[in-house]
Amino acid sequence: MSTHLLLSAGRGPQECSWAVAELSLRLEADATGRGLRTERVQAVPGDRPETYRSVLVRISGTGAEEFAASWTGTLCWQALSPWRTGASRKNWYVTAQPCQVDVPRTAFAEADVDIVPCRTGGPGGQHRNKVSTAVRATHVPSGLVVVVDTERQFGLNRSLALKLLRQRIEQGDAAAERAMTTERWQVHDDLVRGNPVRVERPGPAAVAPRRRGR
Protein backbone atom coordinates (compact mmCIF):
# COMPACT_ATOMS: atom_id res chain seq x y z
CA MET A 1 0.00 0.00 0.00
CA SER A 2 1.38 3.39 -0.99
CA THR A 3 0.15 6.93 -1.50
CA HIS A 4 1.60 10.26 -2.56
CA LEU A 5 1.52 13.57 -0.72
CA LEU A 6 2.46 16.90 -2.31
CA LEU A 7 3.75 19.66 -0.02
CA SER A 8 3.66 23.08 -1.64
CA ALA A 9 4.61 26.61 -0.66
CA GLY A 10 1.99 27.90 -3.08
CA ARG A 11 2.72 31.50 -3.97
CA GLY A 12 4.04 32.32 -0.52
CA PRO A 13 7.33 34.07 0.31
CA GLN A 14 10.72 32.37 0.57
CA GLU A 15 10.03 31.43 4.17
CA CYS A 16 7.24 29.15 2.94
CA SER A 17 9.82 27.30 0.85
CA TRP A 18 11.88 26.95 4.02
CA ALA A 19 8.76 25.64 5.75
CA VAL A 20 8.27 23.02 3.01
CA ALA A 21 11.83 21.78 3.55
CA GLU A 22 11.46 21.59 7.34
CA LEU A 23 7.99 20.06 7.26
CA SER A 24 9.11 17.45 4.73
CA LEU A 25 11.84 16.36 7.13
CA ARG A 26 9.34 16.30 9.99
CA LEU A 27 6.87 14.24 7.96
CA GLU A 28 9.56 11.75 6.95
CA ALA A 29 10.71 11.35 10.54
CA ASP A 30 7.12 10.86 11.70
CA ALA A 31 6.55 8.22 9.01
CA THR A 32 9.74 6.36 9.92
CA GLY A 33 8.69 6.33 13.56
CA ARG A 34 5.44 4.65 12.53
CA GLY A 35 7.18 1.96 10.50
CA LEU A 36 6.43 3.53 7.11
CA ARG A 37 8.78 4.16 4.22
CA THR A 38 9.10 7.47 2.36
CA GLU A 39 10.69 8.48 -0.92
CA ARG A 40 10.98 11.92 -2.46
CA VAL A 41 9.66 11.47 -5.98
CA GLN A 42 10.11 15.10 -6.98
CA ALA A 43 11.44 18.25 -5.37
CA VAL A 44 11.31 21.75 -6.85
CA PRO A 45 14.07 23.95 -5.32
CA GLY A 46 13.32 27.33 -3.80
CA ASP A 47 15.30 30.53 -4.24
CA ARG A 48 17.39 29.86 -1.13
CA PRO A 49 19.70 26.86 -0.58
CA GLU A 50 18.03 23.84 1.04
CA THR A 51 14.52 25.23 0.49
CA TYR A 52 11.79 23.83 -1.76
CA ARG A 53 8.80 25.27 -3.54
CA SER A 54 7.29 21.80 -3.46
CA VAL A 55 8.14 18.23 -2.48
CA LEU A 56 6.28 15.14 -3.68
CA VAL A 57 6.62 12.26 -1.21
CA ARG A 58 5.67 8.62 -1.74
CA ILE A 59 4.58 6.96 1.51
CA SER A 60 4.54 3.16 1.62
CA GLY A 61 3.54 0.57 4.18
CA THR A 62 0.57 -0.54 6.20
CA GLY A 63 -1.51 2.47 7.18
CA ALA A 64 0.09 4.78 4.60
CA GLU A 65 -3.21 6.37 3.57
CA GLU A 66 -4.27 7.00 7.16
CA PHE A 67 -0.89 8.54 7.90
CA ALA A 68 -1.09 10.78 4.82
CA ALA A 69 -4.57 11.89 5.89
CA SER A 70 -3.16 13.07 9.22
CA TRP A 71 -0.80 15.37 7.30
CA THR A 72 -3.33 16.55 4.71
CA GLY A 73 -4.43 20.17 4.72
CA THR A 74 -2.81 23.45 5.73
CA LEU A 75 0.41 22.99 7.72
CA CYS A 76 2.13 25.66 9.78
CA TRP A 77 5.87 25.95 10.43
CA GLN A 78 6.16 28.22 13.46
CA ALA A 79 9.53 29.96 13.68
CA LEU A 80 11.07 33.37 13.11
CA SER A 81 12.38 34.01 9.62
CA PRO A 82 16.10 33.31 9.27
CA TRP A 83 16.32 36.15 6.73
CA ARG A 84 14.16 38.97 8.11
CA THR A 85 16.00 40.54 11.00
CA GLY A 86 13.67 42.03 13.55
CA ALA A 87 10.50 40.72 11.88
CA SER A 88 7.90 39.39 14.29
CA ARG A 89 6.02 37.10 11.93
CA LYS A 90 6.64 33.44 12.67
CA ASN A 91 3.75 31.50 11.10
CA TRP A 92 4.57 30.14 7.64
CA TYR A 93 1.86 28.14 5.91
CA VAL A 94 2.13 25.41 3.31
CA THR A 95 -0.40 22.96 1.91
CA ALA A 96 -0.17 19.17 1.79
CA GLN A 97 -2.52 17.29 -0.51
CA PRO A 98 -2.71 13.71 -1.78
CA CYS A 99 -2.26 13.43 -5.51
CA GLN A 100 -2.21 10.82 -8.22
CA VAL A 101 1.13 10.28 -9.90
CA ASP A 102 0.73 7.32 -12.23
CA VAL A 103 -2.10 7.28 -14.76
CA PRO A 104 -3.21 3.71 -15.51
CA ARG A 105 -2.56 2.86 -19.14
CA THR A 106 -5.38 1.23 -21.07
CA ALA A 107 -4.24 -2.14 -22.36
CA PHE A 108 -4.99 -2.90 -26.00
CA ALA A 109 -5.28 -6.41 -27.41
CA GLU A 110 -7.14 -7.56 -30.49
CA ALA A 111 -8.76 -10.25 -28.37
CA ASP A 112 -10.59 -7.47 -26.51
CA VAL A 113 -12.08 -6.04 -29.70
CA ASP A 114 -15.50 -7.17 -30.93
CA ILE A 115 -15.57 -7.00 -34.75
CA VAL A 116 -18.96 -6.97 -36.46
CA PRO A 117 -19.50 -6.69 -40.26
CA CYS A 118 -22.09 -4.10 -41.19
CA ARG A 119 -23.48 -2.13 -44.11
CA THR A 120 -23.36 1.63 -44.39
CA GLY A 121 -24.95 4.10 -46.75
CA GLY A 122 -23.30 6.68 -48.94
CA PRO A 123 -21.18 6.48 -52.10
CA GLY A 124 -19.86 3.14 -53.22
CA GLY A 125 -22.39 1.67 -55.58
CA GLN A 126 -24.41 -1.48 -55.32
CA HIS A 127 -21.43 -3.58 -54.22
CA ARG A 128 -21.22 -1.71 -50.93
CA ASN A 129 -24.96 -1.97 -50.38
CA LYS A 130 -25.16 -5.71 -51.04
CA VAL A 131 -22.00 -6.84 -49.19
CA SER A 132 -21.19 -6.16 -45.53
CA THR A 133 -17.70 -4.76 -46.03
CA ALA A 134 -17.88 -2.09 -43.33
CA VAL A 135 -16.64 -2.83 -39.82
CA ARG A 136 -18.05 -1.92 -36.45
CA ALA A 137 -15.30 -2.44 -33.87
CA THR A 138 -15.86 -2.22 -30.11
CA HIS A 139 -13.05 -2.18 -27.56
CA VAL A 140 -14.91 -4.04 -24.85
CA PRO A 141 -12.88 -2.93 -21.76
CA SER A 142 -13.22 0.80 -22.55
CA GLY A 143 -16.47 0.79 -24.52
CA LEU A 144 -14.94 2.73 -27.43
CA VAL A 145 -16.66 2.10 -30.77
CA VAL A 146 -15.54 2.94 -34.29
CA VAL A 147 -17.16 2.26 -37.66
CA VAL A 148 -14.94 2.10 -40.76
CA ASP A 149 -16.22 1.82 -44.32
CA THR A 150 -13.58 3.67 -46.32
CA GLU A 151 -12.40 0.54 -48.17
CA ARG A 152 -14.37 -1.91 -50.29
CA GLN A 153 -12.71 -4.91 -48.65
CA PHE A 154 -13.69 -6.13 -45.19
CA GLY A 155 -10.12 -7.07 -44.25
CA LEU A 156 -8.80 -3.58 -44.99
CA ASN A 157 -11.60 -1.94 -43.02
CA ARG A 158 -10.91 -4.31 -40.13
CA SER A 159 -7.23 -3.32 -40.03
CA LEU A 160 -8.11 0.37 -40.17
CA ALA A 161 -10.65 -0.03 -37.38
CA LEU A 162 -8.10 -1.69 -35.10
CA LYS A 163 -5.57 1.05 -35.84
CA LEU A 164 -8.15 3.76 -35.17
CA LEU A 165 -9.19 2.18 -31.87
CA ARG A 166 -5.57 1.96 -30.73
CA GLN A 167 -5.01 5.63 -31.60
CA ARG A 168 -8.10 6.78 -29.72
CA ILE A 169 -7.15 4.78 -26.64
CA GLU A 170 -3.65 6.31 -26.67
CA GLN A 171 -5.17 9.78 -27.10
CA GLY A 172 -7.49 9.14 -24.14
CA ASP A 173 -4.58 8.06 -21.95
CA ALA A 174 -2.59 11.15 -22.96
CA ALA A 175 -5.55 13.41 -22.12
CA ALA A 176 -5.93 11.74 -18.72
CA GLU A 177 -2.23 12.33 -18.01
CA ARG A 178 -2.51 16.01 -18.94
CA ALA A 179 -5.54 16.37 -16.69
CA MET A 180 -3.66 14.75 -13.81
CA THR A 181 -0.73 17.14 -14.27
CA THR A 182 -3.10 20.12 -14.34
CA GLU A 183 -4.80 18.91 -11.17
CA ARG A 184 -1.43 18.55 -9.43
CA TRP A 185 -0.44 22.11 -10.35
CA GLN A 186 -3.78 23.34 -9.04
CA VAL A 187 -2.63 22.30 -5.56
CA HIS A 188 -0.14 25.16 -5.60
CA ASP A 189 -3.00 27.66 -5.81
CA ASP A 190 -5.20 26.00 -3.18
CA LEU A 191 -3.23 27.05 -0.11
CA VAL A 192 -5.48 28.36 2.65
CA ARG A 193 -3.64 30.27 5.35
CA GLY A 194 -4.83 29.91 8.92
CA ASN A 195 -6.58 27.10 10.80
CA PRO A 196 -3.77 24.57 10.17
CA VAL A 197 -4.29 20.87 10.76
CA ARG A 198 -0.75 20.68 12.17
CA VAL A 199 1.61 23.17 13.79
CA GLU A 200 5.29 22.23 13.89
CA ARG A 201 8.20 24.08 15.48
CA PRO A 202 11.98 23.64 15.46
CA GLY A 203 13.09 21.00 17.92
CA PRO A 204 12.66 17.24 18.38
CA ALA A 205 9.04 17.30 19.54
CA ALA A 206 6.15 17.86 17.19
CA VAL A 207 3.10 19.85 18.13
CA ALA A 208 -0.02 17.70 18.25
CA PRO A 209 -2.50 18.27 15.41
CA ARG A 210 -5.11 20.93 16.16
CA ARG A 211 -8.71 19.84 16.16
CA ARG A 212 -11.00 21.83 13.91
CA GLY A 213 -13.80 23.74 15.58
CA ARG A 214 -11.93 24.38 18.83
Side-chain angles (χ1 to χ4, degrees):
M1 179 67 70
S2 67
T3 188
H4 292 81
L5 201 63
L6 177 64
L7 280 71
S8 171
R11 301 183 184 277
Q14 59 188 352
E15 286 85 359
C16 292
S17 297
W18 170 50
V20 168
E22 296 295 337
L23 287 165
S24 297
L25 291 172
R26 189 62 58 85
L27 180 150
E28 290 163 345
D30 189 14
T32 299
R34 297 171 186 264
L36 299 171
R37 301 179 302 279
T38 61
E39 176 188 356
R40 294 193 183 186
V41 178
Q42 185 183 55
V44 179
D47 296 332
R48 298 271 186 170
E50 299 182 358
T51 66
Y52 298 100
R53 297 304 303 172
S54 66
V55 173
L56 179 61
V57 182
R58 177 185 291 117
I59 306 167
S60 307
T62 303
E65 290 186 353
E66 292 81 359
F67 174 80
S70 72
W71 278 84
T72 296
T74 299
L75 311 177
C76 177
W77 180 249
Q78 197 170 79
L80 293 174
S81 169
W83 304 297
R84 303 191 195 197
T85 304
S88 60
R89 178 180 172 181
K90 60 180 181 179
N91 291 331
W92 310 104
Y93 296 102
V94 307
T95 187
Q97 298 294 333
C99 64
Q100 186 179 359
V101 174
D102 302 314
V103 176
R105 311 300 293 185
T106 305
F108 182 85
E110 289 191 21
D112 294 329
V113 179
D114 184 25
I115 302 289
V116 178
C118 62
R119 299 180 185 181
T120 59
Q126 293 183 351
H127 178 78
R128 174 171 291 188
N129 293 330
K130 292 180 179 179
V131 182
S132 301
T133 58
V135 169
R136 185 177 188 272
T138 303
H139 184 247
V140 178
S142 66
L144 281 174
V145 179
V146 299
V147 175
V148 178
D149 65 349
T150 54
E151 302 295 334
R152 298 186 65 177
Q153 295 181 26
F154 174 82
L156 293 176
N157 283 329
R158 181 183 184 278
S159 298
L160 289 173
L162 291 172
K163 181 179 180 180
L164 184 57
L165 272 179
R166 187 188 298 272
Q167 289 176 344
R168 291 191 178 178
I169 288 172
E170 290 175 351
Q171 290 169 356
D173 287 346
E177 188 169 351
R178 289 193 298 271
M180 181 203 67
T181 301
T182 300
E183 182 178 355
R184 190 191 307 173
W185 279 107
Q186 184 64 39
V187 171
H188 301 297
D189 294 324
D190 289 343
L191 174 58
V192 178
R193 291 171 175 79
N195 196 24
V197 297
R198 299 182 73 100
V199 178
E200 302 285 337
R201 302 184 182 114
V207 177
R210 292 179 55 184
R211 297 183 181 275
R212 294 188 181 276
R214 292 191 178 183

